[in-house]
C-alpha cells in the first residue's frame, strides 16, 4: 500500500478548524438576531443564509472567483493591502468555506436560541445580569447542543467541500490542495489506490461525526427542565 | 415605606394597558383582577421587561422609565418571581442562588438566612429538573430575594401548585416584608390569597385601575362586585387569635368572638379572614337551638340591591365590616332598616376554607 499523503489531510483539517472558528464568531450574533428579532427583514436574511444549501458549489465558486480575484472588488483591495492574491491562497479558501458553510452554523444555533427562548434571559435580567452576561452564563450553556451540532456539521461540511474550493483555490499542494481535490486528482490520473485510501478516510470520518451528533442530540439532558 | 408612581401606557393588538397612580408600598400589595386584565403586563412594565411600554415609572423618586430615560431590568433593583419559577436548568439550586447573590449591587439579605427561611439546605446540590413544583417556587423566591431587591415582584407564584403546597408556601410569603424588609407587589386572581396576604390591593380591569385602597375597603364595594367576584363577594375581617382549644381557635373582633378550626397562627397574632356574603345569614333575635356556632352582633350600615336582585347588607361588627347577602323577601319580612342591630350568623366552614385558600 502506498503511504498516506498527509499534505491534503493536514490542510483540510486546518481549513475546517479555521472555518469553524471564524463562523462561530460571525454566526452567533446573526443567529441570535434571527432567533429574537421581530423585524420583517428576518425572512429575507434567512433566505440569503440558506442559499449555499441549494446553489451548486460551482455557481458560488464562480461568483467568489470573480469577487475575490485580483480584478474583483474585494480581491483588488486585498492585493493592495497585502501584495498577494486572495484567490488560490489559503485565506481565499477560508473566505469561500465560511460562505459555503454559513447555513450549517447559523441554522443549528438559531434553532437552539429559539429553543432557549426569552424566558431564561428575562429571569437573568431580573437577577442583575446584563445582556452579554446573560448570553454567556445562561443562553450559551442552554444552547450547548446547538453549538455542538453547529461545530460538528460545519467542520464536516468544510472537509467535504469540492466545487467551491476547486473554483477559488485550484489545486496547489500545501496551499489549496485539500482532501477532496486530492481524491479528484488521483482519480483523474488513475491512481485508484490512493483515491481509495483518502475516500475511505473521509467516508468513515463523516459517518462517525454524524453518528455522534445524533447520539448527542438524543442523550444530552441539559436543556429541558 | 416606598412609593411607586406609575403613568404607563402599553398598546397591543387586542389590548391596551393604561395605568396612572401612586402606590404606597408597604407589606404586601396585591395586584388583583380577572385574567386578561393586565396584571402580569403591569408587573413586567414595572420590572423593565416590556420595552414597548410608554410613559413613566418612578420608584422612590428615581425614574426607572421616563420620556428621556430607560433603566434596564438588571439595574432596577427589583426581584421578580415568575409564575413558572424560571430556574436555570443547567445550574444546581446553589448555583441558581449564587447567580443572584453575585450580581446584587447591595447585599442586605444574607445567603444563609434566605436558604434557612425557605428550607433549602437539603436541595442545594439538586438540579431544578429534579425538584417538585413547590420546591422550585421556594428556590425561585429565595433567588429573587438574594438580589437584595428594593421591591419584590411576584407573579402568581402559587398558581401552579396544589392546595397542600400552597399552604406550605403562603406563610413564607406572608413573612417576607417583615423578615427581609422588602415591600412586595403580588399578582393574583385568587381572592383568598389577597385576603390572606395583602394589606392593600390594586384592582385592575380591562387594562385600567378599577380601584386602589386597603383590602377591606376595596372588597366591600358593591360596585366592584363584577371584579371581586359576584358569588364570592365578601369582606375581610381583621381578627386576633385569642386561644386554642382542641385545634379550634378563638378569634376576637372587639368583644365578639369566632370559633374557627385552624392551627397555623400563634396566639396574639392578627389574622385577617375572609367571609363570603352568601355565608352570612341574618336574625333579628338571638337564635337558639342552632347548628351555627358563630353569631355576631352587628349594626346595619347599608342596604343595597345587587345586580342579581338579592339584597346586600353592609354590617358593622365592632368597627369592622361584614357583608351579608339575603333574598329581597327575607329583607322585607324581617323589616330590616339602616341603623338597626341584628345578629349575623356565620357558618364556620366558610371561615375554614377561606383561611387556608
Amino acid at each position: 500500500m502506498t503511504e498516506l499523503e498527509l499534505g491534503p489531510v493536514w490542510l483540510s483539517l486546518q481549513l475546517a478548524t479555521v472555518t469553524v472558528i471564524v463562523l462561530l464568531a460571525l454566526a452567533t450574533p446573526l443567529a441570535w438576531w434571527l432567533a429574537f428579532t421581530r423585524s420583517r427583514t428576518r425572512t429575507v436574511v434567512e433566505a440569503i443564509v440558506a442559499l449555499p444549501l441549494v446553489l451548486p458549489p460551482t455557481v458560488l465558486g464562480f461568483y467568489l472567483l470573480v469577487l475575490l480575484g485580483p480584478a474583483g472588488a474585494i480581491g483588488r483591495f486585498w492585493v493592495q493591502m497585502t501584495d498577494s492574491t486572495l484567490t488560490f491562497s489559503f485565506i481565499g479558501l477560508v473566505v469561500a468555506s465560511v460562505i459555503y458553510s454559513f447555513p450549517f452554523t447559523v441554522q443549528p444555533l438559531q434553532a437552539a436560541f429559539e429553543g432557549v427562548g426569552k424566558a431564561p434571559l428575562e429571569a437573568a435580567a431580573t437577577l442583575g445580569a446584563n445582556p452579554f452576561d446573560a448570553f454567556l452564563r445562561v443562553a450559551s450553556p442552554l444552547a450547548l447542543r446547538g453549538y455542538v451540532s453547529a461545530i460538528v456539521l460545519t467542520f464536516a461540511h468544510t472537509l467535504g467541500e469540492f466545487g467551491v474550493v476547486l473554483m477559488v483555490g485550484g489545486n496547489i499542494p500545501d496551499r489549496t490542495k485539500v482532501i477532496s481535490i486530492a481524491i479528484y486528482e488521483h482519480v483523474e490520473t488513475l491512481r485508484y489506490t490512493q483515491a481509495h485510501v483518502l475516500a475511505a478516510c473521509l467516508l468513515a470520518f463523516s459517518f462517525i461525526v454524524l453518528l455522534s451528533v445524533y447520539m448527542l442530540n438524543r442523550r444530552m439532558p441539559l436543556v429541558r427542565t | 415605606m416606598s412609593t411607586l408612581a406609575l403613568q404607563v401606557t402599553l398598546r397591543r393588538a387586542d389590548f391596551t394597558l393604561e395605568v396612572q397612580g401612586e402606590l404606597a408600598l408597604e407589606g404586601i400589595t396585591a395586584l388583583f383582577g380577572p385574567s386578561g386584565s393586565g396584571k402580569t403586563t403591569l408587573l413586567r412594565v414595572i420590572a423593565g421587561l416590556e420595552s414597548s411600554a410608554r410613559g413613566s415609572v418612578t420608584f422612590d423618586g428615581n425614574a426607572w422609565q421616563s420620556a428621556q430615560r430607560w433603566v434596564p431590568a438588571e439595574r432596577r433593583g427589583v426581584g421578580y418571581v415568575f409564575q413558572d419559577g424560571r430556574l436555570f436548568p443547567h445550574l444546581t439550586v446553589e448555583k441558581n442562588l449564587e447567580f443572584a447573590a453575585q450580581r446584587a449591587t447591595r447585599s442586605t439579605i444574607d445567603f444563609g438566612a434566605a436558604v434557612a427561611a425557605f428550607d433549602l439546605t437539603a436541595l442545594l446540590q439538586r438540579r431544578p429538573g429534579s425538584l417538585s413544583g413547590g420546591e422550585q417556587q421556594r428556590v425561585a423566591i429565595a433567588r429573587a430575594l438574594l438580589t437584595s431587591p428594593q421591591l419584590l415582584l411576584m407573579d402568581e407564584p402559587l398558581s401552579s401548585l396544589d392546595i397542600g403546597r400552597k399552604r406550605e408556601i403562603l406563610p413564607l410569603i406572608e413573612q417576607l416584608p417583615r423578615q427581609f424588609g422588602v415591600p412586595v407587589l403580588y399578582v393574583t386572581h385568587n381572592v383568598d390569597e389577597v385576603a390572606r396576604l395583602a394589606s392593600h390591593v390594586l384592582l385592575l380591569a380591562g387594562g385600567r385601575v378599577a380601584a386602589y385602597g386597603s383590602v377591606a375597603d376595596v372588597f366591600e364595594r358593591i360596585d366592584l362586585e363584577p371584579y371581586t367576584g359576584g358569588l364570592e363577594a365578601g369582606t375581610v375581617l381583621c381578627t386576633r387569635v385569642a386561644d386554642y382549644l382542641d385545634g379550634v381557635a378563638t378569634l376576637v373582633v372587639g368583644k365578639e368572638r369566632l370559633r374557627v378550626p385552624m392551627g397555623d397562627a400563634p396566639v396574639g397574632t392578627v389574622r385577617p379572614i375572609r367571609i363570603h356574603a352568601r355565608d352570612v345569614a341574618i336574625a333579628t333575635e338571638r337564635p337558639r337551638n342552632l347548628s351555627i356556632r358563630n353569631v355576631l352582633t352587628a349594626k346595619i350600615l347599608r342596604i343595597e340591591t345587587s345586580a342579581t336582585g338579592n339584597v346586600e347588607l353592609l354590617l358593622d361588627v365592632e368597627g369592622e365590616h361584614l357583608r351579608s347577602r339575603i333574598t329581597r323577601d327575607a329583607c322585607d319580612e324581617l323589616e330590616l332598616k339602616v341603623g338597626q342591630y341584628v345578629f349575623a350568623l356565620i357558618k364556620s366552614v366558610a371561615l375554614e376554607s377561606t383561611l387556608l385558600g
Side-chain angles (χ1 to χ4, degrees), chain B residues 9-65:
Chain B
T9 312
L10 189 143
R11 277 178 229 288
R12 296 250 171 84
D14 51 349
F15 172 80
T16 302
L17 179 77
E18 202 153 12
V19 172
Q20 280 103 28
E22 195 171 299
L23 309 183
L25 298 175
E26 195 171 27
I28 298 178
T29 304
L31 243 161
F32 176 75
S35 52
S37 59
K39 308 181 294 289
T40 296
T41 309
L42 179 59
L43 205 68
R44 290 173 56 85
V45 169
I46 295 167
L49 296 174
E50 290 290 343
S51 54
S52 53
R54 297 286 161 263
S56 66
V57 178
T58 311
F59 181 79
D60 276 349
N62 297 322
W64 279 347
Q65 178 180 348

Side-chain angles (χ1 to χ4, degrees), chain A:
Chain A
M1 198 178 108
T2 47
E3 61 184 287
L4 183 65
E5 6 155 34
L6 283 173
V9 175
W10 183 231
L11 192 68
S12 282
L13 291 178
Q14 269 181 309
L15 178 65
T17 308
V18 174
T19 303
V20 165
I21 292 167
V22 173
L23 266 180
L24 282 182
L26 293 178
T28 297
L30 182 67
W32 187 267
W33 180 80
L34 285 172
F36 293 115
T37 186
R38 269 180 268 169
S39 157
R40 289 213 191 98
T41 52
R42 172 193 149 145
T43 335
V44 179
V45 176
E46 276 180 318
I48 294 172
V49 167
L51 267 182
L53 289 176
V54 292
L55 275 183
T58 43
V59 172
L60 207 63
F62 172 65
Y63 281 122
L64 282 171
L65 186 63
V66 170
L67 211 63
L68 302 182
I74 300 171
R76 196 180 324 132
F77 178 73
W78 185 263
V79 171
Q80 279 167 8
M81 297 297 292
T82 65
D83 261 340
S84 60
T85 59
L86 204 47
T87 43
F88 308 108
S89 74
F90 183 73
I91 306 277
L93 277 197
V94 171
V95 174
S97 306
V98 161
I99 292 166
Y100 184 54
S101 295
F102 215 61
F104 290 84
T105 321
V106 173
Q107 288 181 352
L109 287 185
Q110 183 186 342
F113 292 147
E114 280 168 358
V116 171
K118 276 224 159 96
L121 302 171
E122 287 181 351
T126 63
L127 297 171
N130 65 43
F132 186 65
D133 188 10
F135 167 76
L136 273 188
R137 308 298 295 281
V138 178
S140 312
L142 291 179
L144 190 62
R145 243 178 4 181
Y147 271 100
V148 172
S149 297
I151 289 170
V152 169
L153 288 174
T154 305
F155 193 89
H157 187 242
T158 308
L159 274 193
E161 73 184 84
F162 174 72
V164 178
V165 173
L166 192 65
M167 296 291 276
V168 177
N171 180 7
I172 305 167
D174 294 328
R175 258 168 67 190
T176 62
K177 187 172 162 186
V178 294
I179 296 180
S180 56
I181 304 279
I183 294 171
Y184 179 70
E185 194 188 50
H186 288 319
V187 175
E188 285 267 273
T189 53
L190 300 175
R191 282 178 299 182
Y192 273 39
T193 322
Q194 286 94 327
H196 265 307
V197 173
L198 284 178
C201 284
L202 209 53
L203 179 70
F205 179 79
S206 305
F207 176 70
I208 289 167
V209 158
L210 289 175
L211 190 67
S212 43
V213 169
Y214 284 112
M215 274 166 51
L216 270 173
N217 272 334
R218 231 168 236 286
R219 282 243 304 272
M220 238 189 311
L222 269 184
V223 183
R224 297 287 149 239
T225 42

Side-chain angles (χ1 to χ4, degrees), chain B residues 23-327:
Chain B
L23 309 183
L25 298 175
E26 195 171 27
I28 298 178
T29 304
L31 243 161
F32 176 75
S35 52
S37 59
K39 308 181 294 289
T40 296
T41 309
L42 179 59
L43 205 68
R44 290 173 56 85
V45 169
I46 295 167
L49 296 174
E50 290 290 343
S51 54
S52 53
R54 297 286 161 263
S56 66
V57 178
T58 311
F59 181 79
D60 276 349
N62 297 322
W64 279 347
Q65 178 180 348
S66 69
Q68 298 83 33
R69 202 169 141 80
W70 169 266
V71 179
E74 65 267 22
R75 286 197 272 117
R76 292 196 179 191
V78 298
Y80 199 113
V81 180
F82 294 90
Q83 199 171 348
D84 49 354
R86 296 200 187 174
L87 299 177
F88 300 135
H90 62 299
L91 301 177
T92 60
V93 168
E94 186 172 28
K95 297 281 179 205
N96 264 280
L97 298 176
E98 281 173 359
F99 191 98
Q102 283 164 359
R103 285 161 180 78
T105 48
R106 52 180 202 158
S107 183
T108 55
I109 292 171
D110 179 61
F111 194 88
V115 169
F118 291 90
D119 195 17
L120 302 176
T121 314
L123 306 178
L124 285 176
Q125 299 316 318
R126 304 258 299 270
R127 294 224 180 212
S130 73
L131 303 180
S132 71
E135 288 168 335
Q136 289 192 20
Q137 279 314 56
R138 268 156 48 202
V139 177
I141 298 169
R143 187 177 71 165
L145 268 179
L146 282 169
T147 62
S148 294
Q150 301 170 272
L151 169 62
L152 185 61
L153 306 173
M154 305 182 88
D155 184 10
E156 308 210 28
L158 303 179
S159 63
S160 58
L161 306 180
D162 61 50
I163 188 96
R165 301 288 86 72
K166 273 189 195 182
R167 244 177 255 178
E168 280 173 26
I169 297 181
L170 265 171
L172 300 175
I173 294 176
E174 198 173 16
Q175 288 163 19
L176 286 176
R178 241 178 307 125
Q179 197 176 356
F180 295 100
V182 58
V184 176
L185 207 50
Y186 187 99
V187 166
T188 182
H189 63 261
N190 182 317
V191 179
D192 290 328
E193 281 178 34
V194 177
R196 168 74 192 261
L197 295 172
S199 57
H200 286 71
V201 59
L202 179 77
L203 176 62
L204 278 180
R208 288 165 183 276
V209 178
Y212 172 59
S214 76
V215 170
D217 287 347
V218 171
F219 275 80
E220 69 181 31
R221 275 175 58 183
I222 203 164
D223 60 312
L224 298 175
E225 203 176 271
Y227 310 123
T228 51
L231 271 180
E232 286 208 64
T235 40
V236 178
L237 216 53
C238 258
T239 65
R240 203 169 44 77
V241 182
D243 61 43
Y244 284 100
L245 192 67
D246 298 334
V248 180
T250 303
L251 306 175
V252 294
V253 190
K255 296 195 297 289
E256 299 293 330
R257 313 182 146 258
L258 288 161
R259 303 272 295 151
V260 179
M262 58 175 268
D264 61 341
V267 169
T269 52
V270 173
R271 165 63 78 229
I273 53 171
R274 191 163 181 284
I275 299 171
H276 296 274
R278 60 157 191 259
D279 289 329
V280 180
I282 297 295
T284 47
E285 288 168 30
R286 182 171 280 280
R288 290 163 212 284
N289 308 326
L290 195 67
S291 69
I292 292 174
R293 307 314 303 161
N294 288 314
V295 180
L296 306 177
T297 313
K299 188 177 152 189
I300 299 176
L301 294 177
R302 260 197 331 245
I303 301 175
E304 293 175 72
T305 305
S306 78
T308 48
N310 285 326
V311 171
E312 297 266 356
L313 304 176
L314 182 66
L315 306 166
D316 179 287
V317 179
E318 297 279 333
E320 297 277 334
H321 290 174
L322 189 66
R323 283 171 68 182
S324 167
R325 169 173 308 194
I326 56 176
T327 61

